[in-house]
Amino acid sequence: MIPSTQLTPYRCLLYNVGVMPYETAHQWQRSLVAERIHNPELDDVLILLEHPPVYTLGTGANPEFIKFNLDKSDYNVHRIERGGEVTYHCPGQLVGYPILNLRHYRQDLHWYLRQLEEVLIRVLANYDLKGERIPGFTGVWLEGYKVAAIGIKVSKWITMHGFSLNVCPDMTGFQQIIPCGIIDKPVSSLARWIPDITCNQVRHSIDQCFAEVFDVTMKNSESRGAGTAPRNDSSITP
């Protein structure tokens, strides 16, 4: 848990979004981070959403982990500023983007990664599934299968990017890459253990566990002001 001297928990604005194009979510995150660098007292944010099929490559990602030609790709691919190797997003995978000011918590990136893992481990426990860490790797495993990936970027102690949890996606997109550059550890989804599970069922569990681990008060956000969810894309569902 968080060593903190505050009398009341910090507030975290929760945005529950449907399927959002990766470019839109990325721009939104960068806007939220810039606002909080300018004004560190703004509330923290947690965005929960899904993406259309897309591959993302972290800084320094090794092209050997990609099984298709990047120069002649039929897939949507984005090189981004997070850490880590190549990963895949698609509907049925729940993605979380925390925009947190780590000065309010602990200025320690390794601690932050472990906290994100703890959130996901607690989510799995809510379904009587035992999530595990593997020393030397980042993410969460279930009976030897990786079900959650984590990749972050921190600017002036403001976080962006975050985690993805495979709930019930079409897993075939992972066949075109070596996910996270881990050759000998397969990926899977919660649907392997709970066939009828859906992202909507898991969303509340994630925001509840996130609030517990980071000791914050979650507030559902519906405002339309600056820095809030973009509303001008027809593929975004409330």
Side-chain angles (χ1 to χ4, degrees):
M1 295 300 292
I2 296 166
S4 177
T5 58
Q6 79 243 33
L7 298 178
T8 58
Y10 289 106
R11 189 170 74 161
C12 184
L13 305 180
L14 174 66
Y15 290 93
N16 257 311
V17 185
V19 178
M20 177 180 284
Y22 189 84
E23 306 94 311
T24 306
H26 189 209
Q27 182 181 17
W28 183 17
Q29 287 186 78
R30 295 181 72 173
S31 174
L32 291 169
V33 169
E35 289 174 351
R36 281 149 183 80
I37 289 175
H38 179 71
N39 181 2
E41 299 309 311
L42 290 174
D43 287 329
D44 291 331
V45 170
L46 174 62
I47 304 168
L48 292 178
L49 48 69
E50 300 168 61
H51 287 306
V54 61
Y55 294 94
T56 68
L57 293 83
T59 55
N62 190 337
E64 293 181 3
F65 298 138
I66 301 167
K67 300 179 182 180
F68 56 88
N69 189 333
L70 283 171
D71 296 326
K72 300 179 180 178
S73 174
D74 294 328
Y75 306 100
N76 290 320
V77 181
H78 295 278
R79 296 182 181 273
I80 53 174
E81 64 275 78
R82 65 161 171 79
E85 295 286 346
V86 61
T87 194
Y88 177 63
H89 301 300
C90 66
Q93 179 195 77
L94 201 50
V95 179
Y97 294 131
I99 313 296
L100 305 184
N101 185 344
L102 291 183
R103 292 188 182 91
H104 296 161
Y105 304 93
R106 185 183 292 180
Q107 293 171 226
D108 182 333
L109 300 189
H110 293 288
W111 172 86
Y112 177 56
L113 291 171
R114 303 294 81 78
Q115 294 296 97
L116 293 180
E117 290 170 346
E118 180 64 22
V119 171
L120 298 165
I121 287 170
R122 293 190 186 194
V123 169
L124 298 188
N126 286 342
Y127 293 92
D128 296 321
L129 298 173
K130 183 175 175 54
E132 298 178 328
R133 298 178 175 91
I134 294 181
F137 294 98
T138 299
V140 175
W141 278 258
L142 189 52
E143 296 182 7
Y145 291 88
K146 189 171 187 179
V147 294
I150 296 173
I152 65 169
K153 165 72 175 178
V154 178
S155 301
K156 299 186 183 299
W157 296 109
I158 309 296
T159 70
M160 65 180 293
H161 299 292
F163 59 84
S164 58
L165 176 63
N166 295 334
V167 179
C168 54
D170 179 350
M171 298 295 292
T172 56
F174 287 98
Q175 297 173 5
Q176 299 296 325
I177 60 173
I178 298 174
C180 303
I182 304 175
I183 297 172
D184 59 346
K185 292 178 174 58
V187 295
S188 191
S189 70
L190 302 192
R192 180 184 181 95
W193 291 268
I194 309 173
D196 59 348
I197 196 167
T198 68
C199 284
N200 283 340
Q201 293 169 354
V202 178
R203 285 173 182 264
H204 177 65
S205 182
I206 287 181
D207 74 63
Q208 183 180 56
C209 293
F210 190 91
E212 292 173 358
V213 170
F214 286 95
D215 190 23
V216 295
T217 299
M218 304 299 292
K219 178 176 175 55
N220 290 316
S221 185
E222 296 294 338
S223 64
R224 299 293 189 269
T228 60
R231 295 286 175 175
N232 59 351
D233 192 303
S234 60
S235 65
I236 299 172
T237 56

